[in-house]
Amino acid sequence: MPLSVDERWDLIEKISKQTVEFGAYKHTLKDAIAELTVKPLTGIPVAIAVLYGFWSFFIDFAGTLFTDGFMVRLFDEHWLPWLQSVFPGGLGNPFYALMVDAGHWENGVLVASDNCFEAFGVLTSGFFVPFGVVLWAVLAFYLVFAILEDIGYLPRLAVLVDTVLHKIGLHGYAIVPTFLALGCNIPGVTATRPLETRKQRFMMITLLSVFVPCGAQIGIMQDLVPELMGWIFLTLAIGYLGFGFILNKIVPGRSPEIIMDVPPYRMPTLRNIGRKLWIRTSRFLLVAVPFVLLGCLIVGLMYLTGAMDWLATVLGPFLMGLFGVPGETVSPLIAGFLRKDLAVGVLGGLMERGIMTTFQVFTSVVLLCIYFPCLATFALMLKEESWKEFIGSIASLVVMVLVYGGLIHLVGIMLGVA
Amino acid sequence: MKILLMGHPNVGKSVFFNRLTGAKVFESNYPGTTVDFMRGWMRLEGEDVELIDVPGAFSLEPKDKAEEVAVKMLEENRDSVVVCVLDASKVERGLYLALEIIERGYPVIVALNMWDVAEDKNIRIDVEKLERILGVPVVPTTAISGEGFKELVSKIKEAAPVKIEKIIENAGGGESAAVSG
């Protein structure tokens, strides 16, 4: 016989009266720290310090120490020249172009590339992007993230940003999927499941897949355009909040309050941190590397067959007119369907050739973030959302890209930089 | 026989799962780490038993997608023993879910997890009395350090369905044992 809700609570009351005894509660150091990190006056400075520390570690450890200090030299000064000297075919040979170096035309002469962004072969850029840059970014991100997760800091951050996120119909808990998505959008999308209404999930999934760049992408952006990172994040954050506000107004349904537990702080264990780091990094390698290599091959083939130039000519006026970026941007956009990190890498190759202004680079990087979720995320959205919601997500995505991309161009024109 | 791990979000079900199966499920200190169920195998008195890590749920009336998965798992596995993981510092809340599962006729064993946190907060629980009232095994555990697991595993076989009327009878009028909170 099932009890009613009230009968059940009555019974619990009776049971606990006889078995549970609450002694005097001592205020411990742990409680003091816990309070400092949720009260706005002290909590906001702490949050800024934590995020700043996170970002500094990410840049110093992944960017400066591993990528610039070691990997760039290894790939550009040893790996690329060595392949160029031993790989059969040589410059101009199609197979050589696909695998090692497509080269580029300078005053009517085909010139060999001198770095792995430009070369764009499967064996050069295809390995440089995941192993030279992204792996270290992913490792650094997940190391700090796992520590924050296990300490129990994320729910506190959720409490702090709750007021801001309420303005766009989301709950502070949204910070958890958002943060996860900064590592990889896939766990970010699955982490929306504890959200209560379909509306909240739909909004969260849509906003995540459009405005939150993944760790792989951030890592390679940081390597390519470190001086623009602040502007890029600002633009994405404004888009996230702005379009969240609009979605909240037009999507039917409710956004009720979610009551979330703030767990006690805990000491992270080395075992658990190590295990999570290992699982997440190996998952990244398994998913990312084949896609990056495949993407490299596809983009290479499209260049060789002239399909890319054709697309650049056809779509050029549209890209130039709406977003103010040159037709060549087509190639990173195509690579971006498969992998965002690869797409930024392709963009890097274009930059090396000096055909883009700083503002065009900025616009392209932002466009790459928002125009399409990578293939893996796309497939997951299909699984997590109903058909109606999925079409809604894609429609919102198209509108957001056109409107926001155009808006960025417009602001650029007004500021006189576009 | 199957074993389901159920309980509120963030009570340590995934830590239980990893300890019992040696598997690699994500453990984090925030609610909602597990949003889909996970299966694994554990040894129980010489035989292999399937263990399922169910996403956290506050009650069996689902309010979100993760809770829907939890209820579905329970309904699809009628032949299971349920290890109900409670936060020992919030026993009342956890008991609600435990009672719901007992009412549905599942054999239940209660793990009072985060026993260390409860001790820190100066909360004392009369485990034997709780066991007598509920009529199911109750074991204090601290999953992170592994305390109480041996006892928990040895008592899984003792779990048997209990009639809710029996629990009401055992709870009686509810004479107060101590200062209540």
Side-chain angles (χ1 to χ4, degrees):
Chain A
M1 177 204 73
L3 301 177
S4 73
V5 175
D6 286 342
E7 284 171 333
R8 212 174 280 130
W9 281 120
D10 281 346
L11 179 57
I12 290 167
E13 167 98 24
K14 279 182 194 162
I15 297 174
S16 74
K17 261 191 186 163
Q18 301 176 56
T19 55
V20 187
E21 187 187 333
F22 294 89
Y25 189 69
K26 288 192 304 289
H27 212 69
T28 60
L29 179 66
K30 226 176 178 179
D31 295 317
I33 299 172
E35 270 172 30
L36 280 180
T37 48
V38 285
K39 289 199 173 142
L41 194 64
T42 45
I44 291 169
V46 169
I48 293 171
V50 167
L51 295 178
Y52 182 77
F54 195 156
W55 181 240
S56 309
F57 177 79
F58 183 78
I59 295 177
D60 288 339
F61 173 84
T64 313
L65 184 64
F66 278 93
T67 301
D68 294 343
F70 189 63
M71 288 297 163
V72 169
R73 281 181 212 164
L74 178 73
F75 274 92
D76 288 354
E77 288 167 23
H78 301 282
W79 181 242
L80 179 68
W82 179 73
L83 275 175
Q84 283 170 331
S85 66
V86 299
F87 203 85
L91 213 54
N93 176 302
F95 188 63
Y96 176 88
L98 275 182
M99 288 298 148
V100 180
D101 180 12
H104 60 280
W105 296 94
E106 237 168 63
N107 308 321
V109 185
L110 192 59
V111 187
S113 311
D114 57 8
N115 65 66
C116 280
F117 271 127
E118 237 183 316
F120 226 76
V122 173
L123 295 177
T124 48
S125 305
F127 278 86
F128 174 67
V129 169
F131 294 111
V133 185
V134 175
L135 175 63
W136 311 105
V138 169
L139 257 178
F141 179 86
Y142 280 135
L143 177 63
V144 184
F145 188 72
I147 294 172
L148 289 182
E149 265 188 334
D150 286 14
I151 289 178
Y153 186 66
L154 293 182
R156 268 127 189 134
L157 201 57
V159 172
L160 278 177
V161 295
D162 196 46
T163 0
V164 181
L165 289 176
H166 263 298
K167 299 236 184 323
I168 64 164
L170 286 172
H171 180 264
Y173 180 80
I175 203 74
V176 171
T178 305
F179 233 109
L180 269 169
L182 283 171
C184 171
N185 281 359
I186 296 171
V189 170
T190 38
T192 61
R193 285 189 184 175
L195 297 177
E196 283 197 15
T197 60
R198 309 250 19 147
K199 173 180 179 172
Q200 284 178 318
R201 287 200 73 207
F202 169 78
M203 280 182 58
M204 197 70 241
I205 291 178
T206 309
L207 289 176
L208 279 188
S209 56
V210 177
F211 289 107
V212 182
C214 68
Q217 194 180 1
I218 298 171
I220 198 145
M221 291 194 305
Q222 168 63 27
D223 188 51
L224 204 63
V225 285
E227 71 284 358
L228 293 176
M229 290 309 277
W231 290 109
I232 293 167
F233 274 117
L234 186 68
T235 312
L236 293 173
I238 292 172
Y240 179 98
L241 295 173
F243 282 96
F245 184 79
I246 297 170
L247 277 181
N248 186 32
K249 294 274 181 237
I250 57 174
V251 177
R254 294 175 313 116
S255 296
E257 181 65 50
I258 307 172
I259 296 150
M260 188 172 72
D261 265 325
V262 176
Y265 277 129
R266 284 219 169 245
M267 199 62 179
T269 62
L270 201 61
R271 186 179 58 96
N272 196 40
I273 301 275
R275 189 171 56 201
K276 285 208 264 201
L277 204 54
W278 166 247
I279 304 174
R280 283 174 170 155
T281 311
S282 54
R283 254 186 221 168
F284 157 76
L285 288 175
L286 277 171
V287 176
V289 176
F291 273 119
V292 169
L293 296 180
L294 181 70
C296 248
L297 198 64
I298 293 174
V299 173
L301 278 172
M302 289 181 73
Y303 268 119
L304 274 182
T305 53
M308 201 65 96
D309 290 333
W310 181 79
L311 273 177
T313 323
V314 173
L315 294 176
F318 165 74
L319 288 172
M320 197 53 169
L322 187 55
F323 304 126
V325 295
E328 281 85 350
T329 321
V330 159
S331 50
L333 288 173
I334 289 198
F337 279 104
L338 282 168
R339 287 287 308 176
K340 292 295 183 84
D341 45 5
L342 178 72
V344 181
V346 178
L347 186 69
L350 294 180
M351 279 170 62
E352 299 283 341
R353 278 168 219 177
I355 57 166
M356 298 172 97
T357 66
T358 310
F359 191 75
Q360 286 176 334
V361 170
F362 166 76
T363 313
S364 310
V365 173
V366 173
L367 276 181
L368 281 180
C369 291
I370 65 179
Y371 87 105
F372 183 79
C374 69
L375 199 63
T377 311
F378 189 75
L380 183 69
M381 285 166 71
L382 203 66
K383 186 178 149 239
E384 289 286 315
E385 297 188 309
S386 71
W387 267 105
K388 220 174 118 192
E389 288 167 328
F390 181 71
I391 291 166
S393 283
I394 299 303
S396 329
L397 189 151
V398 172
V399 172
M400 284 177 194
V401 173
L402 294 180
V403 171
Y404 207 46
L407 210 59
I408 292 169
H409 186 198
L410 192 69
V411 171
I413 292 171
M414 289 195 301
L415 294 176
V417 287
Chain B
M1 185 180 104
K2 279 181 193 157
I3 299 171
L4 296 182
L5 276 174
M6 295 189 71
H8 282 195
N10 210 39
V11 291
K13 292 177 295 299
S14 297
V15 188
F16 267 69
F17 186 79
N18 285 344
R19 281 219 172 262
L20 293 171
T21 63
K24 295 181 176 68
V25 174
F26 280 108
E27 303 164 5
S28 306
N29 188 9
Y30 58 83
T33 308
T34 309
V35 288
D36 211 342
F37 64 90
M38 291 294 297
R39 289 169 192 279
W41 294 89
M42 65 175 279
R43 292 292 281 182
L44 189 64
E45 294 170 17
E47 55 178 308
D48 283 324
V49 180
E50 192 176 1
L51 186 70
I52 302 174
D53 184 15
V54 178
F58 285 105
S59 77
L60 298 180
E61 296 109 46
K63 290 202 178 55
D64 61 44
K65 186 100 191 262
E67 288 189 342
E68 276 171 32
V69 176
V71 175
K72 205 170 135 237
M73 288 316 298
L74 190 66
E75 281 165 0
E76 280 175 5
N77 296 285
R78 291 291 327 178
D79 59 335
S80 307
V81 171
V82 179
V83 175
C84 197
V85 186
L86 268 58
D87 177 345
S89 66
K90 295 166 189 150
V91 177
E92 289 97 334
R93 285 173 42 175
L95 277 176
Y96 189 88
L97 180 70
L99 287 178
E100 276 191 306
I101 300 169
I102 291 173
E103 284 167 38
R104 292 197 180 196
Y106 290 85
V108 167
I109 170 166
V110 172
L112 293 174
N113 196 33
M114 305 207 215
W115 190 253
D116 56 332
V117 177
E119 277 179 341
D120 284 351
K121 290 188 179 169
N122 233 334
I123 296 169
R124 281 181 291 276
I125 302 166
D126 188 339
V127 177
E128 279 172 29
K129 190 153 194 185
L130 188 58
E131 208 164 38
R132 271 207 306 279
I133 294 176
L134 293 176
V136 306
V138 178
V139 185
T141 57
T142 302
I144 286 191
S145 60
E147 279 164 69
F149 270 72
K150 236 180 145 173
E151 196 189 343
L152 180 88
V153 172
S154 70
K155 285 192 172 173
I156 286 178
K157 290 251 158 136
E158 290 175 24
V162 181
K163 285 260 177 294
I164 193 75
E165 291 82 358
K166 185 80 186 150
I167 298 178
I168 297 174
E169 195 190 311
N170 290 344
E175 73 277 16
S176 187
V179 205
S180 62

